[in-house]
Amino acid sequence: MPADDSSTAAGHPIARVLPLLSPAHLDRDFDYLVPAELDEIAQPGVRVRVRFAGRLVDGYLLERLPRSDHNGKMMPLERIVSPERVLTPDILRLATAVAARYAGTRADVLRLAIPPRHARTETGGVKKSDTAKKPKVSAPDGDKTLGDEMPPEIHESSSAAAESARIVDASAWGRYVHGTAFVEALAQGKGARAAWQALPGEDWAARLAELAATVAASGRSAVLMVPDQRDLDRLLAECVALVGDSAVGLSAGLGPAARYRRWLAVLRGQARIVVGTRAAVFAPARDLGLIAIWDDGDDTYAEPRSPYPHAREVAMLRAHETGAAFVAAGFARTAEIQAVVESGWARDLLAPREVLREVAPRISAPGDSDFALERDALARSVRMPGVAFAAARSAIKENVAVLVQVPRRGYVPSLACAKCRTPARCRHCNGPLALPHSTHGEAASPQCKWCGITEAAFRCQACGARALRATVIGAGRTAEELGRAFSGVPIRTSGGGDMLDTVEPGAQVVVATVGAEPVVPGGYGVALLLDGWALLGRADLRASEDTLRRWMGAAALVRPRGQVIVMAEPSLPTVQALVRWDPVNHAAAELEARAEVGFPPAVRLAAVDGTSGSIAELLDAATLPEGTEILGPVPLPPTARKPFSGGDAPAEVERMLLRVGRSEGGPLARALAAAQAVRSTHRSDAPLRVQVDPVDIG
């Protein structure tokens, strides 16, 4: 406990504080004296400034104590930053659980959970000498902790929210087995948990808004998470239509002032429904009744900052800690959600097959039968076979839109030797060559994507050939080709910085990258899913799962009895799962395959990234659980971020994998956290990163 010549604890109230310190070995509470002038506002949950090791640091006041176990001299609180009690008991418990799950520190988790203070959004800070600004807050009476009552304004709006919320029409949930019973359970305040597979064409935003409004009508709160701003806007609009100002959106794009203002509205109980991206999982919603996540397989749910938690796992932890209901929703399903369904923690929420057949489009893969191959012998080998062009022309004649999904944006994002298929590289910097877009139709020479130098005389470094071929054709080149094929038909592109949310109905071709497909009122007539091999052929553990999720997201935009054609090998299990619209069995097979080879979620896996010396230092300090498998070291996957800033980059970064059974996940995380604490006490500054169950395994 910080000590100096200031004062002893005798006769002074004590504040237990968590300083926001980075070293792992300092992830613990410290006792400070509460000066008399700060006695009223030094309440559990407020931000404080304290002196630690000679410098001022930020922290949170966790509880008030009548006495301390420390018998020496202690430092007083330096300052109360604000009387706003921003750290709630729920968030503190959640931060503690997340830190334990991901071998991190509470300070790192709280930096993710609580946004930076915006002074103009709330009252200013209060110093020890500034007693005139003290708000009228009840003085502490004995022990005060974060479990005590929060200010009254947090609770006053619960009854008002229940009165203002109108009766929700949730009859659409009757299409799903147990759907009506699930809504009734939410209305009764039960902690039901479900994995909901939405039907093709389902207005998923309206359905989730109905669940949230049902919870809000009972006086409780709901947190709804989506992958991006486009989905946030759509879902928030549905929630506002049902409950009005009781719904708010939280995302980093709001800016610090607007985001903090809305966050405070949630904290104070003025907003009962929170719609946001991954950080919303920590929203300080009071009396949480529901936490839902849409499309949990999206990689944006993985936090890139320490301790690298995944929003899905945090949501399940929070539902378990609070007893709130939980819904994982999407057109597809991840192996992680299938694992909790098979464990019995959550239940399936599916539509009967006869209902599915009524709303699903017709899905096929070119060359999926002998008859199809007889009609078009090249159906499996060309990028867009005749059957795809015929379907698109038919839809355009019927004055309906055609969706074309491509894996990449740009013109020709990737080139390779036409003879040996070796990736084409720049002679100057070894960067990848690509074909830039030509606005006037003239031929263009390949250009390096790293240094920008044009390669006018390419020669393959492997075989010496001069010819090039496209490995993946981007959205820009695809749109150009389709413009020539469908003369006079509007061609629109969506992707990157030019993403379309919706397009008007009518004859047109919409070329979109995966995840950027705009919505058309009434649905598309045809969807063409191109270059399936580019998605399925990625060297990634989740390639097939992610591919099916991307395909289903596009196919769900097609009208009932419309047509979806996927350009991929028909016999592949992922293609067959799409054709049958069967994400559940595909997820079950994926889970079984991962269990067989020992990958998450069947096991717990920790990735340790750093130099060979820093990894060895950590493992030497760690008392790993018995039976821990140590895999590696191997080079860091090219898609993974390096665990250091640009100024201290070592020559080589390695990755070591530690694998244990699911029951040993907790002991493994504790062992790694303890080892990092040992390293920090030794003041080791060698770059190192520890991630538990990372999305990118390599």
Side-chain angles (χ1 to χ4, degrees):
M1 299 168 189
D4 72 349
D5 297 332
S6 300
S7 176
T8 63
H12 289 269
I14 305 299
R16 184 149 290 171
V17 174
L18 174 64
L20 297 181
L21 301 168
S22 297
H25 71 284
L26 296 178
D27 182 26
R28 58 193 184 93
D29 309 337
F30 295 90
D31 291 350
Y32 285 83
L33 299 176
V34 179
E37 63 269 27
L38 298 181
D39 189 44
E40 292 186 14
I41 58 174
Q43 299 297 313
V46 301
R47 304 179 200 253
V48 298
R49 293 277 284 174
V50 295
R51 194 165 294 279
F52 191 95
R55 62 189 180 96
L56 286 175
V57 298
D58 294 318
Y60 293 102
L61 198 158
L62 301 184
E63 59 180 318
R64 291 286 300 270
L65 302 171
R67 65 186 63 84
S68 172
D69 295 334
H70 182 64
N71 296 322
K73 296 179 179 180
M74 288 189 296
M75 295 287 290
L77 293 177
E78 190 72 20
R79 181 172 178 247
I80 303 297
V81 177
S82 165
E84 194 77 49
R85 300 168 70 175
V86 294
L87 179 58
T88 67
D90 179 23
I91 298 304
L92 178 60
R93 286 191 295 268
L94 181 61
T96 303
V98 171
R101 167 72 169 79
Y102 286 96
T105 65
R106 290 177 295 169
D108 282 342
V109 178
L110 290 176
R111 289 188 184 99
L112 304 177
I114 302 177
R117 177 175 179 259
H118 196 271
R120 277 180 279 179
T121 307
E122 63 173 51
T123 57
V126 181
K127 298 181 180 179
K128 288 190 290 184
S129 59
D130 193 0
T131 58
K133 295 181 180 180
K134 293 188 294 182
K136 299 298 183 181
V137 181
S138 299
D141 180 15
D143 292 0
K144 290 282 186 178
T145 70
L146 279 178
D148 292 323
E149 288 295 317
M150 299 296 285
E153 64 268 18
I154 292 179
H155 301 285
E156 286 173 353
S157 63
S158 60
S159 59
E163 293 174 2
S164 62
R166 62 183 178 84
I167 297 176
V168 179
D169 179 11
S171 58
W173 284 95
R175 296 198 296 172
Y176 300 90
V177 178
H178 307 308
T180 302
F182 182 75
V183 176
E184 291 175 352
L186 294 185
Q188 296 168 10
K190 296 180 180 179
R193 300 184 289 263
W196 172 44
Q197 301 313 128
L199 286 166
E202 179 68 270
D203 189 349
W204 59 267
R207 301 291 83 78
L208 288 179
E210 289 163 2
L211 297 183
T214 299
V215 170
S218 66
R220 306 185 75 189
S221 299
V223 173
L224 311 177
M225 289 181 293
V226 291
D228 53 42
Q229 187 66 44
R230 184 172 66 161
D231 289 337
L232 190 155
D233 294 339
R234 179 179 175 184
L235 180 53
L236 181 60
E238 295 289 346
C239 292
V240 169
L242 291 179
V243 301
D245 293 340
S246 291
V248 297
L250 288 179
S251 67
L254 289 170
R259 182 188 178 197
Y260 192 54
R261 186 179 302 110
R262 296 185 185 186
W263 189 88
L264 285 177
V266 179
L267 174 70
R268 295 166 178 171
Q270 298 162 357
R272 308 299 294 182
I273 297 178
V274 181
V275 182
T277 48
R278 63 172 179 260
V281 72
F282 294 106
R286 308 301 300 180
D287 301 319
L288 185 64
L290 170 68
I291 185 164
I293 182 170
W294 171 257
D295 197 15
D296 67 285
D298 195 289
D299 57 9
T300 59
Y301 284 121
E303 175 59 55
R305 294 171 292 175
S306 179
Y308 317 103
H310 195 287
R312 175 190 56 236
E313 306 301 318
V314 178
M316 290 192 288
L317 274 174
R318 190 170 185 184
H320 179 75
E321 291 283 337
T322 61
F326 171 82
V327 178
F331 295 114
R333 178 176 290 189
T334 60
E336 284 77 8
I337 293 301
Q338 181 63 25
V340 298
V341 169
E342 293 186 6
S343 71
W345 190 82
R347 301 292 184 182
D348 278 320
L349 204 57
L350 311 173
R353 296 299 295 184
E354 57 269 20
V355 175
L356 174 62
R357 283 191 289 269
E358 292 176 0
V359 298
R362 293 174 289 122
I363 305 174
S364 62
D368 57 357
S369 66
D370 293 339
F371 178 72
L373 286 175
E374 287 179 6
R375 296 185 62 184
D376 188 355
L378 299 178
R380 293 186 181 181
S381 57
V382 298
R383 185 171 188 241
M384 192 178 298
V387 64
F389 276 107
R393 290 192 185 98
S394 177
I396 290 172
K397 287 181 180 179
E398 296 175 6
N399 197 34
V400 293
V402 175
L403 173 64
V404 180
Q405 184 197 68
V406 295
R408 306 275 182 88
R409 61 188 176 94
Y411 196 69
V412 180
S414 181
L415 295 171
C417 173
K419 181 178 180 181
C420 68
R421 310 297 173 90
T422 300
R425 293 285 178 176
C426 174
R427 287 181 296 171
H428 303 275
C429 69
N430 204 40
L433 294 180
L435 193 63
H437 179 61
S438 175
T439 56
H440 303 290
E442 69 271 13
S445 297
Q447 192 175 71
C448 178
K449 295 171 70 175
W450 288 359
C451 67
I453 294 178
T454 299
E455 181 61 87
F458 168 78
R459 181 183 291 273
C460 178
Q461 299 176 1
C463 69
R466 294 184 177 274
L468 286 167
R469 70 184 299 273
T471 57
V472 176
I473 296 178
R477 174 66 178 271
T478 302
E480 184 180 292
E481 292 177 350
L482 292 173
R484 291 193 294 265
F486 299 100
S487 179
V489 178
I491 309 292
R492 293 182 170 83
T493 59
S494 177
D498 300 319
M499 192 177 299
L500 303 175
D501 294 334
T502 60
V503 294
E504 293 298 321
Q508 60 191 306
V509 177
V510 179
V511 182
T513 55
V514 289
E517 303 87 358
V519 176
V520 174
Y524 292 93
V526 171
L528 308 179
L529 313 180
L530 303 186
D531 302 331
W533 60 269
L535 292 174
L536 288 170
R538 292 177 298 133
D540 190 287
L541 174 69
R542 308 173 195 276
S544 61
E545 177 183 279
D546 188 61
T547 299
L548 182 61
R549 184 178 66 84
R550 298 293 195 179
W551 284 346
M552 283 188 155
L557 300 176
V558 178
R559 61 179 55 184
R561 311 311 300 165
Q563 193 170 0
V564 177
I565 301 176
V566 54
M567 265 54 81
E569 172 58 45
S571 62
L572 294 175
T574 305
V575 178
Q576 287 300 306
L578 175 67
V579 170
R580 297 192 304 270
W581 200 270
D582 189 10
V584 175
N585 282 324
H586 184 271
E590 183 75 10
L591 178 61
E592 183 179 357
R594 293 192 198 175
E596 185 176 348
V597 297
F599 280 112
V603 299
R604 284 279 185 261
L605 197 72
V608 183
D609 304 332
T611 63
S612 57
S614 63
I615 294 174
E617 183 182 18
L618 179 81
L619 295 182
D620 288 343
T623 306
L624 299 175
E626 186 176 351
T628 301
E629 293 183 74
I630 301 178
L631 310 175
V634 296
L636 187 71
T639 55
R641 296 186 309 112
K642 294 185 178 180
F644 44 74
S645 60
D648 57 355
E652 186 175 347
V653 180
E654 298 177 338
R655 166 166 288 187
M656 190 81 78
L657 297 178
L658 308 177
R659 182 165 60 189
V660 297
R662 287 186 62 85
S663 62
E664 295 297 318
L668 176 63
R670 289 192 293 271
L672 292 174
Q676 292 182 87
V678 172
R679 287 189 77 242
S680 67
T681 59
H682 294 165
R683 301 183 182 276
S684 176
D685 58 356
L688 184 77
R689 177 178 60 206
V690 175
Q691 298 179 86
V692 177
D693 292 342
V695 172
D696 184 6
I697 297 175

